Amino acid sequence: MPITIADVAARAKVSKTTVSRVLNGKGELDESTAARVRAVIEELGYVPSSRAVGLARGRTRVVGMLVPSLTWPWIGEVIQGAVDVLETERYGLLLFTCNRGEESMRQFGAQVSAKSFDGLLVIEPEGTLDYIATLHRRGLPVVLIDDRDQTSGEIPSVGTTNHDGAGAAARHLLRIGRRSPLVITGPERFGCTLQRNAGFAAVFADAGLPIPAERTWLGDFTVACGAEAVQTALDSGVEFDAVFAHNDLSALGAMQALMDAGRRIPQDVAVVGFDDIPTAAHTQPPLSTVHQPLREMGEAAARTLLAHFEGTPLPNRPTVIPASFVTRGSTVAPTE
């Protein structure tokens, strides 16, 4: 049977409260009593629960993280960035998903009520922002990662330059002579979709090449929507010499539909994505894309939370880490 605090107290002939004070360094104790308790702890090989000690000190040294699902291809990079920072500082991570909808959120809420973690990192599951904001207002330190809904600074956030990243993609396509892009967007309710649309469209408009409605397809960040957009454009006779997809999954679907239709990439149609998920470098041809600093975003969010635990106020404006453009074979052929 594992040794408990009660066993230590009985052997040392003190109360459990006295043992707890020795473990936590709290309260005034007679030195001989404290020494006797420490000797019994060593003799019995008692190892206190780190969670119990943390709660006694007012700190669990655990950070919670709420994400929509682990199946999203870029979420692993963000989590890894956060974990790298937390483990270095000897914090644990308690991970929650919303795979089971309301049941998942009830379980998450129970852990919030139990004060199982000191603060929360969030990649916002759809429809939870009001609840997260309420938790933050009630005193739970929260940092959003990839603030898709643009919360006007109420909750500290870490994001990237969606507008500028899309603009970089547009300038690249113009440099290689592409004048008629098909744009496959993300869901229009997301702030990142609005920013990517605006950044890309502005560059083409400044070049005297505004993008007409028939070359803009409202997507949902899936492979299927990318394929459907391209197939519909081809069937409708819409002329395009490039595709800009708001994420890499949509771009992968677009590439497959183009190849199925006998279109060469990039000779006939250049393709650009957004995210730079690991798969992007291994498609045929490799996908040119806007690199989101996903791991760096996770690291920055974790550092922000840990700094707050040490007394630094949470920032009242977003932390923005620049995106960058990565050129690969889907826009520039090896001979070019």
Side-chain angles (χ1 to χ4, degrees):
M1 296 291 291
I3 302 299
T4 68
I5 195 171
D7 297 325
V8 174
R11 179 70 65 89
K13 295 182 171 57
V14 296
S15 67
K16 290 189 291 184
T17 300
T18 298
V19 176
S20 179
R21 286 175 178 171
V22 172
L23 291 169
N24 298 310
K26 288 186 175 182
E28 294 184 4
L29 290 171
D30 177 75
E31 183 53 39
S32 62
T33 300
R36 186 168 74 253
V37 171
R38 293 189 193 101
V40 170
I41 288 172
E42 184 173 354
E43 175 191 348
L44 297 180
Y46 172 64
V47 179
S49 160
S50 59
R51 184 172 185 273
V53 173
L55 290 172
R57 292 174 176 170
R59 183 85 59 84
T60 66
R61 296 195 72 83
V62 173
V63 166
M65 189 167 189
L66 177 65
V67 304
S69 170
L70 296 180
T71 61
W72 290 18
W74 53 267
I75 277 185
E77 284 290 297
V78 178
I79 294 173
Q80 189 61 59
V83 167
D84 288 345
V85 171
L86 295 174
E87 288 186 347
T88 298
E89 299 300 324
R90 299 185 180 279
Y91 273 77
L93 180 71
L94 191 55
L95 183 63
F96 303 91
T97 74
C98 286
N99 286 336
R100 291 180 293 170
E102 291 184 5
E103 182 182 350
S104 294
M105 289 306 297
R106 281 195 296 272
Q107 291 181 355
F108 170 72
Q111 295 298 317
V112 172
S113 298
K115 297 183 178 179
S116 299
F117 42 85
D118 300 327
L120 182 66
L121 303 174
V122 179
I123 300 173
E124 183 228 334
E126 192 169 354
T128 64
L129 188 60
D130 289 344
Y131 175 53
I132 300 303
T134 298
L135 296 179
H136 182 60
R137 286 192 294 269
R138 290 176 177 173
L140 179 67
V142 177
V143 178
L144 288 175
I145 305 170
D146 183 36
D147 181 9
R148 294 174 295 159
D149 284 315
Q150 305 300 291
T151 56
S152 302
E154 179 183 2
I155 305 175
S157 65
V158 176
T160 191
T161 48
N162 287 292
H163 184 283
D164 293 348
R171 286 188 291 274
H172 172 74
L173 290 175
L174 287 170
R175 277 196 300 272
I176 62 173
R178 307 306 167 114
R179 298 291 184 267
S180 304
L182 175 70
V183 179
I184 306 171
T185 77
E188 58 186 348
R189 63 187 178 277
F190 289 163
C192 62
T193 296
L194 302 178
Q195 293 169 359
R196 292 172 194 179
N197 251 349
F200 190 84
V203 171
F204 270 85
D206 289 346
L209 299 166
I211 300 171
E214 64 264 22
R215 281 198 273 111
T216 300
W217 179 274
L218 180 60
D220 59 6
F221 288 150
T222 64
V223 172
C225 86
E228 184 180 359
V230 165
Q231 190 60 56
T232 300
L234 293 173
D235 292 344
S236 302
V238 174
E239 296 291 333
F240 59 97
D241 58 9
V243 172
F244 172 53
H246 278 202
N247 77 333
D248 289 344
L249 289 183
S250 300
L252 298 184
M255 291 175 70
Q256 186 60 57
L258 288 166
M259 290 186 287
D260 289 347
R263 300 295 179 96
R264 298 172 302 163
I265 304 170
Q267 292 87 348
D268 299 327
V269 181
V271 180
V272 173
F274 203 113
D275 284 339
D276 198 19
I277 61 176
T279 306
H282 303 288
T283 57
Q284 290 300 324
L287 179 64
S288 294
T289 186
V290 179
H291 173 78
Q292 285 208 81
L294 300 169
R295 188 168 297 208
E296 293 89 338
M297 289 161 64
E299 291 172 351
R303 287 195 189 100
T304 298
L305 209 50
L306 296 189
H308 176 69
F309 297 159
E310 300 304 318
T312 301
L314 290 170
N316 56 13
R317 63 180 60 187
T319 299
V320 179
I321 304 174
S324 57
F325 190 77
V326 180
T327 303
R328 298 193 181 107
S330 69
T331 58
V332 179
T335 57
E336 293 184 41

